[in-house]
Amino acid sequence: MNAAIRAVVRSALAQGVAVTGIRRGYQGLIEGDLNDLTSRSVSNVIQRGGTMLMSSRCPEMYERAGRRKAAESLRQVGIDGLVTIGGNGTIKGALALWKEERVRVVHVPSTIDNDLPGTDITIGFDTALNTAVAAIDKLRDTAASHDRIFLVEVMGRNNGHIAVDAAIAGGAEAVFIPEAHKEMPILMKRIRNWWDSGKHSLIIVVAEGEEQGGALTLAKRLAKLAGSQVRTCILGHMQRGGTPTARDRVLASSYGTRAMDAMMAGKTGTMVAIQCGELVLVPLSAGAGPAKPADQSKFRLVDRLA
Ligand code: F6P
């Protein structure tokens, strides 16, 4: 996110446009927590995880009155255009501000879950994925040396984008994702067969789904099935921090700059996106729809290569 903020600030200033940073997202906007940003404000941030502007959940944005306050805040200080950076909640707020209050918005898709529709990739996904794969590589040493089953729980509330890609890249034997919960019995049977045939070192990646820690319940079921101890590693918020990958920094820099160009060209009510390798603009509504599910063919690939 910091690389995206830097790109927005520097490309705006280069075009003679002043930039105000809104701290703590919509909550900060409603409360008027605003600061002017200069080129120096975004020095030395591209390599830092998290967001220099901070973030928060804002229940008021679910209410029309809250959204009115947010728009009023912008008008009071003479802000003509708003660049939002975030995932599902942020874009829904942006769409409402655009439709109801005619706020000129361009959205930058950013969530480690990579589940925003309308774009192939969101900021943060690559960094989280690499963290998950590095953890799997480390766990593999114990799994192999001790002949053990390991469950590795990765983030992904509604979907398994991180889980599927981490399973492929980490050479995992199986992956459990919310989109394919009906396949659970098949996967359990496969694990049982492996165990019976003497394959005892298994890495299974689990998307957290509704609740963090769900893998612990699954571990109990697997332990009964295999009659062996199962170890569980919940990666949790480790995946949301740390040094962003080069790929994420490049993506965020491109997104931020394109967002500012769109703003200057009056192409608002839009989201920057990557589609089939191209940097494009799509309507905000395209990114605010139902979450994009993980790719089925990638899900199948895990089985084929196990
Ligand atoms: O939306 C990104 C995400 O990382 C989900 O994968 C995860 O379930 C959730 O955020 C965790 O949110 P919180 O930080 O509020 O626990």
Side-chain angles (χ1 to χ4, degrees):
M1 286 181 135
N2 288 323
I5 295 166
R6 174 178 178 270
V8 169
V9 171
R10 294 218 167 142
S11 53
L13 294 174
Q15 298 179 71
V17 175
V19 188
T20 300
I22 300 164
R23 285 163 47 86
R24 297 179 291 111
Y26 293 125
Q27 195 62 48
L29 176 57
I30 289 170
E31 291 167 13
D33 193 356
L34 316 172
N35 276 102
D36 288 344
L37 294 176
T38 65
S39 192
R40 291 292 293 280
S41 323
V42 290
S43 292
N44 202 18
V45 299
I46 197 164
Q47 79 285 12
R48 288 190 359 223
T51 159
M52 59 176 277
L53 289 176
M54 304 177 65
S55 180
S56 64
R57 305 239 182 259
C58 180
E60 271 185 274
M61 276 297 280
Y62 291 112
E63 310 293 332
R64 183 76 208 258
R67 298 195 289 270
R68 233 178 249 137
K69 265 198 231 165
E72 194 42 44
S73 232
L74 291 170
R75 283 182 207 114
Q76 260 174 17
V77 287
I79 292 176
D80 299 315
L82 178 69
V83 176
T84 49
I85 308 175
N88 320 70
T90 313
I91 193 168
K92 286 198 174 96
L95 181 63
L97 288 176
W98 160 254
K99 276 191 175 165
E100 297 167 2
E101 302 291 333
R102 308 313 300 163
V103 172
R104 287 190 280 266
V105 190
V106 180
H107 184 71
V108 174
S110 175
T111 162
I112 64 162
D113 291 346
N114 198 29
D115 61 349
L116 275 200
T119 185
D120 295 345
I121 186 91
T122 55
I123 299 170
F125 174 65
D126 190 61
T127 302
L129 175 61
N130 277 285
T131 301
V133 173
I136 291 171
D137 289 349
K138 290 192 170 96
L139 293 167
R140 174 74 76 186
D141 292 342
T142 305
S145 314
H146 294 249
D147 246 358
R148 269 197 192 144
I149 299 181
F150 261 95
L151 290 187
V152 186
E153 184 181 286
V154 299
M155 274 189 162
R157 203 192 323 249
N158 301 312
N159 57 67
H161 291 274
I162 298 178
V164 167
D165 279 28
I168 295 171
E173 276 68 28
V175 59
F176 289 93
I177 58 173
E179 296 94 319
H181 66 272
K182 286 199 185 120
E183 306 233 352
M184 180 81 103
I186 304 170
L187 290 170
M188 295 297 253
K189 202 165 160 223
R190 192 170 299 143
I191 292 164
R192 173 81 223 216
N193 289 343
W194 273 324
W195 189 264
D196 291 346
S197 67
K199 183 172 167 59
H200 294 166
S201 158
L202 302 173
I203 298 268
I204 298 156
V205 180
V206 186
E208 69 179 3
E210 303 261 293
E211 204 184 331
Q212 198 175 76
L216 291 166
T217 315
L218 189 58
K220 281 193 192 131
R221 284 179 60 190
L222 269 178
K224 267 198 203 140
L225 186 85
S228 132
Q229 282 186 339
V230 176
R231 295 284 191 257
T232 306
C233 181
I234 298 168
L235 299 184
H237 289 80
M238 286 223 354
Q239 296 156 95
R240 273 229 296 240
T243 309
T245 60
R247 210 182 160 90
D248 256 333
R249 298 181 205 188
V250 172
L251 178 73
S253 300
S254 307
Y255 273 168
T257 308
R258 185 77 170 91
M260 207 47 227
D261 289 348
M263 187 70 79
M264 296 306 285
K267 293 181 179 159
T268 52
T270 53
M271 174 179 90
V272 293
I274 298 279
Q275 289 184 349
C276 303
E278 296 250 339
L279 185 55
V280 295
L281 276 182
V282 298
L284 267 179
S285 52
K292 177 181 72 185
D295 188 334
Q296 274 294 317
S297 59
K298 280 189 184 171
F299 174 69
R300 302 266 164 245
L301 193 59
V302 178
D303 289 344
R304 290 182 65 188
L305 301 180

